[in-house]
Amino acid sequence: MASVRAAATGDRMVVAVSGEVDLSNAHEVERPGGEVIAGATALALDLNDVTYLDSRGLQLLLRLAERHLHGSLDLVIVAAPRSIAFELLQVTGIVEAVPVLAALG
């Protein structure tokens, strides 16, 4: 099961995802944060508490990275080294395109 929490911190939206994100619940994960994410111009996506992430979660990350590269989203991803999320960011090359922090500071 996955959950999403969203909060404004200054001019940046912080969306924290926790638990398992897979095909069976990805739509539920995107729904609570979807409007926040879609309308955000500055976003910190905290993946430190994600325990599993499949291709649906990866699709979301790729869409956000693309928005970041095109300049329509100031994106920071929060994923600690050696975490499941960080490993996926490395394998896909997202870590080369988007700033990745171990923690929000």
Side-chain angles (χ1 to χ4, degrees), residues 2-4 28 31 33 40-41 47 50-51 53 55 58-60 68 79 87 89 91 98 101:
S3 67
V4 178
E28 294 172 15
R31 191 177 314 137
T41 56
L47 303 176
V50 169
T51 57
L53 191 66
S55 61
L58 177 58
Q59 288 175 350
L60 174 63
H68 177 77
E87 290 177 14
L89 295 170
V91 168
V98 176
L101 306 175

Side-chain angles (χ1 to χ4, degrees), residues 10-93:
D11 63 344
R12 183 176 300 275
M13 287 303 303
V14 177
V15 176
V17 182
S18 61
E20 296 183 6
V21 181
D22 60 23
L23 184 59
S24 71
N25 67 9
H27 64 285
E28 294 172 15
V29 170
E30 289 187 57
R31 191 177 314 137
E35 290 179 17
V36 171
I37 291 171
T41 56
L43 175 68
L45 184 62
D46 187 342
L47 303 176
N48 271 330
D49 292 328
V50 169
T51 57
Y52 178 80
L53 191 66
D54 77 355
S55 61
R56 279 295 293 274
L58 177 58
Q59 288 175 350
L60 174 63
L61 294 176
L62 290 171
R63 285 194 306 270
L64 293 173
E66 184 176 346
R67 285 183 56 199
H68 177 77
L69 290 173
H70 290 310
S72 64
L73 177 65
D74 177 12
L75 176 64
V76 172
I77 297 176
V78 182
R82 295 185 297 273
S83 68
I84 290 168
F86 187 81
E87 290 177 14
L88 181 63
L89 295 170
Q90 281 188 307
V91 168
T92 60

